[in-house]
Amino acid sequence: MLYYSTNKTVKDVALSDVVIKGLAEDNGLFMPNYIPVLPDMFYKNIDKQEFRDLAYTVAYMLFGEDVHANVLKMMVNDTLSFDVPLVGVSDRIYSLELFHGPTLAFKDVGARFMSRMLSYFIQREDDNRKVNVLVATSGDTGSAVANGFLGVEGIQVYVLYPKGQVSPVQESQFTTLGRNITALEVDGSFDDCQALVKSAFLDKELNEALKLTSANSINVARFLPQAFYYFYAYAQLKKISEEAAANMVICVPSGNFGNLTAGLIAKKMGLPVKRFIAANNRNDIFLQYLQTGEYQPRASVSTLANAMDVGNPSNFARILDLYGHSHEAISKEISGYRYDDTQIADTIRACRHETGYLLDPHGACGYQALKDGLLEGEYGVFLETAHPAKFNETMEQILGEEVVLPDKLVEFTKGTKQSLPLPADFAAFKSYLLKNA
Ligand SMILES: *Cc1c(COP(=O)(O)O)cnc(C)c1O
């Protein structure tokens, strides 16, 4: 499979280059030349398959021309070493729990898959300089990428995160690892971190001196494997009820929109999703676009659902591309909702009291959007993108009850924080990389 850039001046790029480069040279995002469609038989029997097996079928359609079948199978099995259960929460609303991976957030899937794929492609290259992975994080990306890449040979990871704006538990997951993981604490916002990383990829001098790539959802190997669990959501819902599966609406708490875009691609591969809902916090640039047809990125604001604090969602370019830049087509497929912090807290409380289910602040946006947007006869699945204990201080303030940290998280918090302060200034970042990478 070959790939083109959403800016259309770069085309027919091999997957190995797409994964190693991250962003296209014209600053666009890579897209597959075509989207393979799975036969009806696959969907008919999907509920009889294990997660890993159905994910492998999907992976083979997407990556089978470029990665040896045995290796691809290993990548899938290695990535999906944890379950993604579908749990009923309230009437016709289900939670797809994506938080049973090593860092308790959905990004474990993409990060683990990408680390295996990148390592596979760099081993096949003649160039044996190490690859530097730059990743901007508002919390969860950093931990998932750092843990996914920890100890992978030939790869050095730099995690840039906004000082004081990630929860202590999140911070501990990428600042305590050491080895090939370096945490850079930026005196600025998440958007500043993302801008630093973007500028680095566009800087000629830097790219001549160093091999740089991105592990944000701009990277195909990070965002595309997220399609796997949409198929599994359908498979599990079908097992519960054929009627529910035939009327499935998927709601995605969104920030950079990589997760949602993977779902849109799953639908183009034939997955019977009736429609999508994008749930936002106060950073509702996408909702504004749906309502007005105008895309107006703006500075992000901090909210309780901090992994969704994104003012200029990078995968918007992919969504436009998938629907031929038609606002009408996009609005037909996706609707939007937004919730402020008070509403997020109210939802967490109400859901806990009415159903017993514990939502995290991101999942709360997803759950509430289904409550508000689900039509009669529809069945809603929201992606529960992180374990509530990752935000235990917030959760305790909202609920007045203790949220127990799973053992996996306790281990991280025991480590010593190691991070380097960095101003939100590209010249400083560049000279740091040139000196240290
Ligand atoms: C990253 C993240 C999101 C947003 O996902 P995108 O793919 O950037 O839209 C939502 N919730 C949590 C917990 C996250 O970590």
Side-chain angles (χ1 to χ4, degrees), residues 281-339:
N281 58 27
R282 284 206 296 135
N283 299 283
D284 60 353
I285 295 84
F286 185 75
L287 175 63
Q288 300 280 315
Y289 165 77
L290 290 177
Q291 289 170 343
T292 65
E294 308 263 323
Y295 179 67
Q296 283 178 325
R298 52 174 202 262
S300 64
V301 295
S302 305
T303 76
L304 291 178
N306 66 6
M308 291 152 56
D309 295 349
V310 181
N312 186 7
S314 45
N315 286 286
F316 183 68
R318 284 195 168 114
I319 298 180
L320 281 179
D321 192 81
L322 274 174
Y323 295 94
H325 289 249
S326 160
H327 175 253
E328 195 193 331
I330 293 171
S331 316
K332 226 189 231 162
E333 193 83 304
I334 317 166
S335 43
Y337 287 87
R338 62 94 79 181
Y339 301 101

Side-chain angles (χ1 to χ4, degrees), residues 29-227:
L29 275 68
F30 285 115
M31 290 291 278
N33 270 0
Y34 66 93
I35 297 176
V37 177
L38 282 149
D40 288 347
M41 270 307 279
F42 172 72
Y43 294 105
K44 261 207 192 98
N45 297 322
I46 195 169
D47 51 326
K48 294 170 191 78
Q49 290 195 47
E50 301 281 332
F51 185 21
R52 289 172 169 195
D53 297 334
L54 67 89
Y56 175 69
T57 304
V58 176
Y60 185 79
M61 296 298 282
L62 295 168
F63 307 122
E65 287 171 21
D66 307 288
V67 182
H68 193 281
N70 291 338
V71 177
L72 188 60
K73 188 151 234 169
M74 240 161 53
M75 285 179 192
V76 171
N77 288 346
D78 228 23
T79 301
L80 306 178
S81 58
F82 47 90
D83 196 21
V84 179
L86 187 74
V87 176
V89 176
S90 66
D91 185 33
R92 289 183 292 126
I93 298 183
Y94 297 84
S95 168
L96 185 69
E97 293 187 348
L98 299 175
F99 57 66
H100 296 283
T103 74
L104 307 182
F106 82 93
K107 293 189 176 79
D108 283 326
V109 173
R112 285 160 72 90
F113 191 88
M114 183 187 159
S115 75
R116 272 79 179 162
M117 187 175 258
L118 181 61
S119 147
Y120 171 71
F121 284 134
I122 58 179
Q123 277 169 32
R124 292 196 328 190
E125 277 197 321
D126 301 331
D127 183 350
N128 41 28
R129 289 180 301 160
K130 74 179 170 194
V131 173
N132 299 284
V133 170
L134 306 183
V135 60
T137 185
S138 55
D140 279 344
T141 309
S143 36
V145 169
N147 286 277
F149 283 81
L150 183 64
V152 177
E153 246 175 77
I155 303 178
Q156 172 68 37
V157 176
Y158 294 92
V159 180
L160 287 79
Y161 70 104
K163 181 177 170 178
Q165 285 175 49
V166 300
S167 80
V169 178
Q170 283 179 320
E171 192 178 13
S172 72
Q173 289 178 298
F174 53 81
T175 57
T176 60
L177 299 169
R179 296 166 72 181
N180 61 331
I181 312 297
T182 304
L184 300 171
E185 187 173 20
V186 176
D187 195 0
S189 67
F190 169 68
D191 289 341
D192 292 327
C193 297
Q194 189 149 273
L196 287 176
V197 168
K198 271 205 161 172
S199 307
F201 291 129
L202 295 174
D203 190 274
K204 240 183 142 178
E205 195 189 346
L206 210 46
N207 284 275
E208 273 159 16
L210 305 168
K211 275 166 85 176
L212 300 178
T213 194
S214 158
N216 282 86
S217 53
I218 60 169
N219 198 305
V220 164
R222 208 346 260 288
F223 104 91
L224 208 43
Q226 294 170 356

Side-chain angles (χ1 to χ4, degrees), residues 331-363:
S331 316
K332 226 189 231 162
E333 193 83 304
I334 317 166
S335 43
Y337 287 87
R338 62 94 79 181
Y339 301 101
D340 63 27
D341 281 355
T342 310
Q343 293 168 310
I344 291 173
D346 287 346
T347 298
I348 291 172
R349 267 189 298 266
C351 182
R352 180 69 168 154
H353 293 147
E354 288 158 18
T355 73
Y357 194 79
L358 207 53
L359 294 164
D360 95 291
H362 307 80

